Amino acid sequence: MCRRTTPSLRIALALPALIALHASPGAVPAAAQVAALAGRFAYVADESDDIEQAIDRGTAELNFFKRPIARGRLRDVNAAYQTVEIEQTRSSIAIGFDGHPPIVTPADGAPIRWRRDDGEVFRVRAEWLDDALIQVFTADDGQRENLYTLDPDGRTLRMRVTITSRQLPAPIVYTLVYRRVE
């Protein structure tokens, strides 16, 4: 005997799977989110935080010997990118800076191994968190998190940078602002 399911029963049977898919951290976001954040953006210096001040504040409590070393290293690797380009396919997220080849990671947040121009190796991952895109660089001595959000105007991209290390007394946090390039 073949039993037919009613529409309400089909919804009840599918609901747990839909909830799990929506709640899973590696779920691909809605197409509208991807389309909104995808594009090329140019740096807006006068609306961005001062990176030098953020580094100085974050290293102020270090001792006399460690402070200049930490500040020098942080300044070397925390310049403001002049352009950011974001693309996503169903299976990957590509984020490029200043015309360099993009860093392409799986869209589900799985890490890849990536080598910066100076030779330092990182584990890099990217994934969607609600309506934000997070990109995390992890090295043996610390981590940098870039959190990308789009303002309601659809043109302004904010990249909140958080740097953590067991060598730092507290995280260094600053925000860089970018405008969509038409």
Side-chain angles (χ1 to χ4, degrees):
M1 170 161 136
C2 181
R3 200 169 137 199
R4 295 179 55 123
T5 57
T6 65
S8 59
L9 180 58
R10 282 193 298 268
I11 291 170
L13 292 171
L15 193 56
L18 291 173
I19 290 170
L21 178 62
H22 179 71
S24 71
V28 176
Q33 285 177 302
V34 174
L37 201 54
R40 180 177 165 88
F41 300 85
Y43 180 56
V44 183
D46 61 340
E47 293 181 32
S48 297
D49 290 343
D50 186 315
I51 298 172
E52 294 276 329
Q53 287 179 359
I55 290 170
D56 288 348
R57 279 190 310 268
T59 57
E61 293 179 30
L62 292 174
N63 72 40
F64 176 76
F65 297 105
K66 287 184 177 182
R67 188 179 317 129
I69 295 168
R71 285 181 176 169
R73 175 154 160 68
L74 288 164
R75 285 183 180 122
D76 286 347
V77 297
N78 282 285
Y81 301 114
Q82 297 304 299
T83 60
V84 175
E85 291 188 61
I86 300 172
E87 293 181 32
Q88 181 170 336
T89 67
R90 193 163 179 76
S91 61
S92 67
I93 298 170
I95 303 173
F97 306 103
D98 293 341
H100 291 279
I103 301 167
V104 181
T105 57
D108 65 1
I112 63 160
R113 185 175 181 265
W114 176 75
R115 184 180 307 272
R116 191 170 55 199
D117 291 343
D118 66 2
E120 188 169 358
V121 176
F122 295 87
R123 288 176 309 283
V124 182
R125 65 182 178 83
E127 65 184 308
W128 285 93
L129 298 174
D130 298 322
D131 59 350
L133 178 60
I134 187 169
Q135 181 184 44
V136 180
F137 297 79
T138 305
D140 292 337
D141 62 346
Q143 178 174 289
R144 174 180 168 140
E145 174 186 292
N146 295 335
L147 182 71
Y148 302 92
T149 57
L150 195 63
D151 283 2
D153 67 7
R155 297 182 36 79
T156 305
L157 176 75
R158 295 185 186 276
M159 178 171 65
R160 188 187 74 208
V161 177
T162 304
I163 300 164
T164 55
S165 171
R166 59 185 174 275
Q167 303 295 322
L168 293 172
I172 294 174
V173 180
Y174 59 89
T175 300
L176 303 176
V177 177
Y178 294 85
R179 282 277 188 288
R180 187 178 299 279
V181 176
E182 300 299 327

